[in-house]
Amino acid sequence: MKDINIKDFLPLVKKPARYLGGEVNSVKKVLSGAALRFGLGFPDAYEVGMSHLGIQILYQILNSRDDIACERVFAPWIDMEALLREKGVKLSTLESGIPLNELDIMGFSLQYELSYTNVLNMLDLGGIPLYSKDRSPGDPFVIGGGPVAFNPEPIADYFDAFLLGDGEEAVLEIADAVIEGKKNGEDRHGVLRRLSKIEGVYVPSFFEVGYNPDSTVNGIVPLVDGYTNVRKRVVPDLNKMPLPTRPVVPFAETIHDRASIEISRGCTRGCRFCQAGIIYRPVREKDPETIIKTIEGTLKNTGYDEVSLLSLSTGDYTFIEELLGALMERFEGEKVAVSLPSLRVGTLSARLAGDVKRVRKTGFTLAPEAGSERLRTVINKGIREEHLMAAAEDVFRLGWKSMKLYFMIGLPTETDEDIAEIVKLAERVRNTGRRATGGRSPQINVSVSSFIPKPFTPFQWEAQSSIGECVKKQSELKKRLGALKIGFKWHEPKMSVLEGVFARGDRKLSGVIEKAFKKGCRFDGWSDEFNWEKWEEAFREAGIDMTFYTERLRPFEEVFPWDHLNPTAKKEFLYREYKKALELAATPDCRADRCSSCGICDFKAIKNRITAEDRAFKEESLKRPEKTGPAVKFRLRFSKTGDMRFLGHLELVKAMTRAIKRVGLPLAYTQGFHPLPKISFTPPLPVGIESLDEYMDIELSAAERNGPSGIMDALNRALPEGLKFIGASAIPLKLSPPSAIIAEYLIFLKNSPLGLNIERIDGFLRDFHGKDSIIVRIEREDRITDVDIKPLVSELSLTGDMALRLVLRKGAGRSVRPHDVVARLLGLSREDASLIPILKTKAVQ
């Protein structure tokens, strides 16, 4: 039986670019030369996973080793899962198509509790037994990491190991342990013993959990001598890590479609609801020089036009104003924007906001978290209202017309008055904006999520609000904010409750997750896919009450399911902070005040590392001379073949634009707050069709000394396989973009996976040509129209090698796609017709 290539069926799924691989900076190695095959998995859609910086960093680190082949895999969307199951094809890696059960390590980045059913689905689709106890010597080791790994007990039965903490160093030690175990012929238990000796690695099967009659944890018993608890892994100095300057550049648009650059890790502000503030401590800032080098290298290797400076609190970076000013000096001329996604109120200055808008205005979100100052004291947020109003005034004076405010509901000690204060605070921000802009009302959008008590936070002993309580508060906010015409968005309370169950859950929940998976639960973090009724059924069948995990106030002495896992923050410190919250007592930031005795630092290697004054830099030394001269314009002809036929038009535009940026051509831009490159293309080619005759016009702000042929050669070196320029010429600046009147196609019937009866083609053609009118119902995204395609078909004939030659002309306001003609000719559905390969050979202007 012929092997099925799942890419032949990509026309049947939405967003086929998710499944292509071959992106710029992706790495495909000769597998025979690799001692280890490492699958780097993200249990969510491609566009979510490829936005995650951690995946990009680990991918580069692992592939820096010649003996390791690291390849990526993401959760297939619902349509692709159905296709894989229908065709009997295993889920495989993007780069080389390795079925998951043929990997040595299957690693998962675990960022969110509602991705658990996706983990099981990926294991099942990849042919890996779900439970670690059922895996044989030839199966991969399934290893998880990320923030969820600090309480992975609900999924502990499915994983061989977890990594707690930073992965840059540990991931190579894990790889080496498996390589050595394979080399020595060790069984799975022997390799797990090796892994358990690596700092930060947790092997769940080496611990046994006991329960009390009331279902609380009685104790966690170590089963291996000397392996009693797991201490998180910390990279003491981020400046000593390799610069991650070659991230994979996705074809598909991602959630965060830009260069993400970490400038600092950890936060000591001490917000009592924040798990990240504990598990990522201490604060470790990167030196400005390191950041600048990383950004320069990343932009050169990717062609991105936006940089996001990442940190838990970007505004707390010691030299943030100097850094942002330097970046603007360096990249403003190249129209590279900078965004600061995690600004804390009180760290946003007028200078920061002014620098952000110098290229284009990215969005502004401020997070008061709570409406009243009393409640902000409870959570140790430390934001005064005057600070928020000052920040809002600066933003609106600089030209922003909207602002998003983020709050939580259900925080400990919250009252109805605290909810009312959210509305009042949003109204005061709008009034501030109106005064700052001379009477124009800015758009204020309030976003609200439900508070979820997380492990290793001072509020881990607290109860979570019920669904009914959250709905009541959301309804009140919706009514009152709506009356003020203030935008309001909220998070589904049922999803928050499920997240809360798993956040503080134990091993008894593994059966619930399996039941939900078998009922069809997938992508539970996506509101359109979330199915509360199926989850309720799963819990009911397992005999487990969700409220046991969410609505119960816990005593200090209770043994938590995660007590054997150690982020190095002392439990006594967390409880002390909990008591201080109830007493309305603040705890200062230890990086600027006294040590808060959390227990994380050893004050030798593990300590806050703040950039010193002598590590700063001179901004003026970074500015690069801009290329100037008379603008010039070029028309380039290109082909789009192979996997690139699955790029949509916007994805093609982005791929081409980024290639131009990587080459360093001085693109000309439009004017205004959101400048765009002056690039234009011929009308979009339908997704799934190859072409040998596409055109792109680009305008440059200065002439290039190598001329059209030099530009073409440089761009071809920067393009992914399947895109290639095959002609170039200089054209007048005011010449309009080309628009084809007639297009010629070849339709390869023999290459179709449908198994068409070629002998019947002559009859189909006679029938087609014998009709005066052929009406086809054409469905586009938002409309259905009936089109007579007969006048649009100039030629339709059979060639000697059993391909159809189709010539289409443009009608007045009408057009038809080649697959629409094929479907009507052969009596196929539009979906089946889309599987027949088509090549555009010529466009007549």
Side-chain angles (χ1 to χ4, degrees):
M1 180 180 174
K2 180 184 175 183
D3 288 340
I4 294 175
N5 182 354
I6 203 65
K7 286 185 178 179
D8 289 340
F9 297 91
L10 285 183
L12 302 179
V13 303
K14 295 179 180 177
K15 300 185 179 181
R18 289 167 167 163
Y19 311 106
L20 296 181
E23 310 98 318
V24 171
N25 296 330
S26 61
V27 180
K28 183 177 179 179
K29 295 185 176 179
V30 178
L31 297 179
S32 60
L36 186 84
R37 299 180 178 191
F38 197 123
L40 201 55
F42 199 96
D44 211 320
Y46 174 93
E47 57 266 32
V48 178
M50 284 303 298
S51 296
H52 186 250
L53 179 60
I55 284 282
Q56 296 274 18
I57 291 174
L58 295 181
Y59 183 79
Q60 292 173 76
I61 288 173
L62 286 163
N63 278 317
S64 69
R65 284 265 298 266
D66 292 338
D67 59 340
I68 299 174
C70 177
E71 304 199 349
R72 297 160 297 140
V73 61
F74 302 92
W77 196 251
I78 310 299
D79 53 0
M80 176 55 87
E81 178 194 346
L83 191 59
L84 291 170
R85 294 191 185 280
E86 177 193 338
K87 303 299 180 184
V89 176
K90 286 188 175 71
L91 181 62
S92 304
T93 59
L94 279 179
E95 282 77 0
S96 302
I98 306 170
L100 301 194
N101 64 337
E102 296 179 15
L103 296 165
D104 298 304
I105 294 175
M106 180 63 242
F108 283 98
S109 176
L110 302 170
Q111 302 296 314
Y112 187 29
E113 290 85 353
L114 297 193
S115 66
Y116 289 166
T117 56
N118 279 1
V119 171
L120 267 61
N121 194 38
M122 292 173 72
L123 293 175
D124 185 57
L125 287 169
I128 301 173
L130 297 185
Y131 287 91
S132 59
K133 62 182 177 58
D134 296 330
R135 292 181 192 130
S136 65
D139 287 317
F141 289 91
V142 179
I143 302 175
V148 167
F150 282 87
N151 179 32
E153 294 304 284
I155 50 172
D157 292 340
Y158 303 119
F159 280 78
D160 296 295
F162 295 93
L163 173 66
L164 278 63
D166 299 334
E168 287 94 334
E169 298 171 329
V171 71
L172 292 177
E173 295 171 20
I174 289 169
D176 284 333
V178 175
I179 290 172
E180 284 300 310
K182 283 177 57 181
K183 188 186 299 181
N184 297 335
E186 296 172 8
D187 61 13
R188 293 185 72 86
H189 184 81
V191 176
L192 291 176
R193 285 293 298 266
R194 279 183 178 273
L195 291 171
S196 70
K197 295 174 183 178
I198 298 171
E199 185 177 22
V201 172
Y202 167 43
V203 180
S205 60
F206 289 177
F207 293 85
E208 187 173 79
V209 182
Y211 296 92
N212 295 310
D214 65 355
S215 293
T216 57
V217 175
N218 172 268
I220 303 161
V221 181
L223 303 178
V224 174
D225 290 341
Y227 189 57
T228 58
N229 70 74
V230 181
R231 183 183 178 92
K232 79 172 181 183
R233 187 65 174 265
V234 178
V235 172
D237 188 350
L238 298 181
N239 293 297
K240 295 181 179 178
M241 292 295 98
L243 300 184
T245 59
R246 299 191 69 86
V248 177
V249 184
F251 293 127
E253 183 174 3
T254 58
I255 303 300
H256 304 300
D257 207 13
R258 52 186 176 252
S260 297
I261 308 295
E262 185 181 36
I263 64 172
S264 170
R265 190 175 301 175
C267 178
T268 51
R269 287 284 187 172
C271 299
R272 292 171 176 137
F273 59 84
C274 182
Q275 184 189 53
I278 294 295
I279 64 176
Y280 292 121
R281 286 191 186 190
V283 171
R284 289 148 290 160
E285 292 186 346
K286 289 186 177 180
D287 290 339
E289 295 91 337
T290 300
I291 296 168
I292 293 288
K293 286 179 182 177
T294 305
I295 292 173
E296 287 189 325
T298 300
L299 292 178
K300 179 181 178 182
N301 293 325
T302 63
Y304 280 120
D305 62 359
E306 183 177 343
V307 173
S308 180
L309 303 182
L310 297 188
S311 167
L312 289 175
S313 181
T314 305
D316 283 329
Y317 181 78
T318 303
F319 293 105
I320 186 60
E321 289 190 350
E322 293 85 350
L323 175 63
L324 187 56
L327 291 176
M328 288 294 99
E329 284 298 307
R330 170 65 182 84
F331 296 112
E332 183 179 9
E334 298 173 25
K335 297 296 184 288
V336 174
V338 179
S339 61
L340 309 175
S342 56
L343 279 175
R344 174 188 170 88
V345 176
T347 63
L348 174 62
S349 66
R351 178 180 173 183
L352 276 181
D355 276 337
V356 167
K357 66 168 281 189
R358 280 169 63 177
V359 172
R360 58 181 170 274
K361 292 189 297 188
T362 52
F364 257 116
T365 299
L366 296 178
E369 311 288 0
S372 69
E373 289 200 12
R374 182 200 70 82
L375 195 52
R376 290 197 290 273
T377 301
V378 169
I379 64 177
N380 205 45
K381 189 67 178 178
I383 295 173
R384 298 186 65 83
E385 184 174 319
E386 54 262 36
H387 298 151
L388 176 62
M389 297 307 154
E393 183 174 359
D394 286 339
V395 168
F396 292 129
R397 282 191 188 281
L398 286 165
W400 272 264
K401 295 179 175 62
S402 66
M403 178 180 288
K404 179 179 175 182
L405 301 175
Y406 175 79
F407 297 91
M408 284 187 286
I409 57 174
L411 288 162
T413 79
E414 183 182 73
T415 66
D416 291 344
E417 187 176 338
D418 295 313
I419 297 298
E421 282 297 316
I422 292 176
V423 179
K424 294 176 183 177
L425 192 63
E427 186 177 18
R428 287 194 285 270
V429 169
R430 185 172 66 180
N431 291 339
T432 297
R434 185 180 293 129
R435 288 192 299 271
T437 57
R440 295 192 309 274
S441 286
Q443 176 61 49
I444 306 300
N445 298 302
V446 169
S447 179
V448 167
S449 67
S450 301
F451 163 68
I452 300 170
K454 293 280 180 129
F456 303 114
T457 68
F459 290 150
Q460 64 181 347
W461 289 273
E462 265 289 341
Q464 183 174 339
S465 293
S466 68
I467 293 173
E469 291 169 336
C470 290
V471 168
K472 179 183 176 183
K473 292 171 183 177
Q474 288 176 349
S475 297
E476 182 67 17
L477 286 169
K478 184 178 181 182
K479 180 178 71 175
R480 298 183 63 175
L481 289 167
L484 295 170
K485 293 184 170 51
I486 291 174
F488 179 56
K489 291 186 177 180
W490 63 93
H491 191 68
E492 168 58 56
K494 292 173 182 176
M495 294 170 71
S496 297
V497 164
L498 192 61
E499 182 183 348
V501 169
F502 293 131
R504 292 188 291 176
D506 51 39
R507 294 190 184 184
K508 289 186 292 185
L509 293 173
S510 63
V512 177
I513 297 168
E514 183 183 14
K515 287 179 184 294
F517 158 65
K518 289 182 175 178
K519 290 177 183 293
C521 290
R522 308 284 191 274
F523 293 97
D524 300 300
W526 295 66
S527 56
D528 290 345
E529 301 299 328
F530 180 65
N531 192 316
W532 175 249
E533 289 72 24
K534 288 181 180 179
W535 277 106
E536 283 187 308
E537 287 176 14
F539 275 95
R540 198 161 46 242
E541 291 172 10
I544 292 177
D545 182 3
M546 281 189 250
T547 62
F548 171 80
Y549 295 97
T550 54
E551 297 180 25
R552 184 171 58 86
L553 196 66
R554 291 148 170 79
F556 172 71
E557 60 274 8
E558 180 171 328
V559 177
F560 290 144
W562 55 88
D563 272 353
H564 57 308
L565 307 178
N566 183 8
T568 66
K570 294 182 290 189
K571 197 171 185 179
E572 294 76 13
F573 162 75
L574 297 173
Y575 195 69
R576 188 167 69 244
E577 281 295 299
Y578 177 41
K579 290 296 187 183
K580 289 177 72 174
L582 302 180
E583 296 164 0
L584 295 178
T587 298
D589 185 346
C590 69
R591 65 183 275 171
D593 208 300
R594 64 183 181 278
C595 173
S596 56
S597 301
C598 68
I600 289 176
C601 294
D602 63 11
F603 301 102
K604 296 175 184 176
I606 311 302
K607 60 184 178 180
N608 288 336
R609 292 181 182 267
I610 311 302
T611 304
E613 188 73 39
D614 61 0
R615 300 299 296 164
F617 51 87
K618 294 182 179 180
E619 299 176 29
E620 60 270 16
S621 65
L622 295 166
K623 189 166 185 177
R624 301 286 176 88
E626 295 181 31
K627 293 181 179 180
T628 58
V632 290
K633 192 172 183 179
F634 297 94
R635 176 161 294 170
L636 294 96
R637 179 176 174 234
F638 66 94
S639 59
K640 183 187 179 196
T641 59
D643 287 350
M644 294 301 97
R645 70 190 185 276
F646 294 116
L647 294 191
H649 185 66
L650 294 179
E651 293 162 345
L652 171 69
V653 171
K654 198 162 288 185
M656 289 294 197
T657 304
R658 287 172 177 167
I660 293 167
K661 297 277 282 186
R662 286 193 297 276
V663 168
L665 295 177
L667 272 170
Y669 284 81
T670 60
Q671 300 299 310
F673 280 126
H674 294 276
L676 298 173
K678 292 185 176 181
I679 305 176
S680 56
F681 291 79
T682 44
L685 188 69
V687 174
I689 292 181
E690 296 181 286
S691 177
L692 301 178
D693 201 23
E694 299 298 300
Y695 291 86
M696 175 183 78
D697 290 355
I698 60 170
E699 184 176 328
L700 305 181
S701 60
E704 281 292 299
R705 63 181 179 181
N706 294 323
S709 61
I711 290 174
M712 184 176 70
D713 292 342
L715 285 173
N716 279 334
R717 289 191 291 271
L719 285 174
E721 184 178 355
L723 293 177
K724 184 179 181 180
F725 287 105
I726 50 182
S729 60
I731 59 174
L733 284 174
K734 295 187 177 181
L735 185 65
S736 299
S739 180
I741 299 172
I742 295 175
E744 299 180 7
Y745 302 89
L746 285 177
I747 302 166
F748 300 100
L749 302 176
K750 290 194 299 185
N751 298 345
S752 163
L754 296 174
L756 296 172
N757 186 345
I758 303 297
E759 295 176 358
R760 300 179 60 194
I761 298 300
D762 283 335
F764 287 138
L765 288 171
R766 283 194 300 271
D767 182 63
F768 187 92
H769 289 306
K771 295 184 183 299
D772 295 327
S773 174
I774 300 177
I775 304 299
V776 172
R777 176 154 291 184
I778 297 177
E779 298 184 18
R780 298 293 184 255
E781 292 179 357
D782 56 350
R783 68 186 189 278
I784 299 175
T785 55
D786 289 336
V787 175
D788 183 1
I789 66 171
K790 193 66 186 294
L792 304 178
V793 178
S794 290
E795 182 181 337
L796 181 59
S797 59
L798 192 63
T799 66
D801 55 357
M802 299 307 294
L804 289 173
R805 181 172 182 269
L806 171 66
V807 180
L808 291 177
R809 68 164 66 93
K810 258 191 171 184
R814 297 171 301 161
S815 63
V816 63
R817 295 177 179 178
H819 281 121
D820 293 323
V821 176
V822 173
R824 179 62 179 82
L825 173 70
L826 304 180
L828 300 174
S829 68
R830 181 64 175 78
E831 288 73 23
D832 282 348
S834 70
L835 299 178
I836 299 174
I838 296 180
L839 172 68
K840 179 181 173 183
T841 58
K842 186 178 180 182
V844 179
Q845 312 300 325

